[in-house]
Amino acid sequence: MPDRICVAQIGAPHGVRGEVRLWSFTTDPLAVARYGALETEDGKRSFKIETVRAASDHLVARLTGVADRNVAETLTNLRLYVPRERLPATEDDDTFYHADLVGLAVVDKDNADIGIVVAIHNFGAGEIIEIRLKTGGLTVMLPFSMAVVPVVDIANGRIVIDPPEGSLTTGEARDDTPPQRSDTTR
Amino acid sequence: MSRSVWKGPFVDGYLLKKAETSRSSGRHEVIKIWSRRSTILPQFVGLTFGVYNGQKHIPVNVAEEMVGHKFGEFAPTRTFYGHTSDRKTKRS
């Protein structure tokens, strides 16, 4: 489980009164202001969001201790983090934060090492877990379902998978016939 | 211009055969397909297809509301990773 989670990045200054553009990475962009003081990557500086409002494709925020444009300019491209424990608990045992899953080791039922989790996706057809195989090459994607991922053990940093047959192979040749007019259904 | 109704939905023939074989076998498997252009038919509901995106197969769990769409719609060819931040996922 990561100690801190990146929730936003400061952009260019906005105006001359110390406001900055803020690129929020949270699900609800304005939720970035609800996590309390935001820290820099090294944890040495922290900023509290005094005011925040939505602009066209970003937020405009006023941060504590940033009173003019010159100070705001020094903060450009600074990433802001919150401690992981500030995120609220998930609704149930089958809901997980992406941040908790990414980086977990992937093992099979015999405890053999398979790879690590690199991302979670949803392209509109169910949750998908992307795994970088220990053997290298392309990543593979598997459905994030109870059947395929029966065990998620965040405390021990691993998930157990029961992959469907042939789903861990990459780059195999096409096994379908070349599309021909006679091989189509109308 | 949309496809003429009298032609019916387009689907590659081999895909129908694969789906039928998988359903009859009753095994828990991902049906690897390369046909992104095929329409999702009602008989595919409940099956999981691995739709090729030019690099790898993306698992597509077919649900009822996906009928009539094309397989390619659910397997993007470009992936944006972004920051995980406070995003959540639910195991189905």
Side-chain angles (χ1 to χ4, degrees):
Chain A
M1 193 184 290
D3 297 340
R4 284 185 298 170
I5 291 165
C6 182
V7 291
Q9 181 171 347
I10 297 175
H14 179 91
V16 294
R17 293 178 185 172
E19 287 185 322
V20 291
R21 288 182 175 209
L22 195 66
W23 301 95
S24 173
F25 304 136
T26 51
T27 314
D28 168 19
L30 289 169
V32 72
R34 295 200 286 267
Y35 289 125
L38 308 176
E39 299 171 355
T40 54
E41 191 168 8
D42 55 12
K44 288 178 181 167
R45 300 177 69 185
S46 71
F47 303 93
K48 203 161 187 322
I49 296 176
E50 286 180 0
T51 61
V52 64
R53 64 179 191 275
S56 58
D57 60 346
H58 58 277
L59 303 176
V60 174
R62 181 182 296 280
L63 307 175
T64 50
V66 183
D68 61 50
R69 186 181 176 94
N70 292 336
V71 180
E73 273 175 355
T74 63
L75 304 178
T76 303
N77 294 334
L78 197 67
R79 287 191 173 170
L80 300 173
Y81 295 75
V82 292
R84 165 64 185 84
E85 58 267 18
R86 268 197 224 155
L87 298 185
T90 53
E91 300 86 43
D92 55 60
D93 292 345
D94 282 329
T95 305
F96 307 93
Y97 281 107
H98 287 202
D100 291 345
L101 294 175
V102 171
L104 293 186
V106 181
V107 296
D108 66 8
K109 281 185 162 175
D110 303 324
N111 221 15
D113 192 15
I114 290 177
I116 59 163
V117 178
V118 289
I120 314 292
H121 304 284
N122 188 338
F123 302 129
E127 300 290 337
I128 295 167
I129 192 159
E130 185 173 1
I131 296 167
R132 184 173 304 286
L133 299 177
K134 191 182 70 173
T135 52
L138 288 171
T139 56
V140 293
M141 293 189 179
L142 298 173
F144 188 49
S145 62
M146 200 62 93
V148 179
V149 188
V151 178
V152 177
D153 188 356
I154 292 173
N156 291 318
R158 65 178 203 138
I159 62 169
V160 178
I161 62 166
D162 179 15
E165 212 173 291
S167 59
L168 292 185
T169 54
T170 58
E172 70 270 47
R174 289 178 70 149
D175 62 354
D176 58 336
T177 52
Q180 292 168 357
R181 257 190 114 66
S182 59
D183 196 25
T184 58
T185 301
R186 290 183 172 182
Chain B
M1 184 194 278
S2 58
R3 182 178 168 87
S4 298
V5 174
W6 64 267
K7 292 180 183 176
F10 173 84
V11 60
D12 274 312
Y14 79 90
L15 201 150
L16 279 172
K17 289 175 206 157
K18 272 187 162 184
E20 207 170 298
T21 312
S22 170
R23 194 176 280 283
S24 58
S25 74
R27 280 185 304 172
H28 157 60
E29 62 178 358
V30 174
I31 306 162
K32 288 191 174 179
I33 61 168
W34 281 257
S35 176
R36 298 169 57 83
R37 60 184 183 169
S38 292
T39 308
I40 296 175
L41 301 180
Q43 57 261 46
F44 298 156
V45 172
L47 298 176
T48 303
F49 291 85
V51 182
Y52 197 59
N53 77 344
Q55 282 193 314
K56 53 196 162 200
H57 294 272
I58 312 283
V60 172
N61 223 334
V62 178
E64 214 170 300
E65 57 266 31
M66 291 157 64
V67 171
H69 289 265
K70 309 285 186 187
F71 277 106
E73 293 178 53
F74 303 99
T77 54
R78 293 169 179 83
T79 310
F80 173 69
Y81 286 87
H83 290 272
T84 55
S85 189
D86 62 351
R87 276 183 280 161
K88 284 186 267 190
T89 186
K90 189 170 170 63
R91 185 165 47 163
S92 52

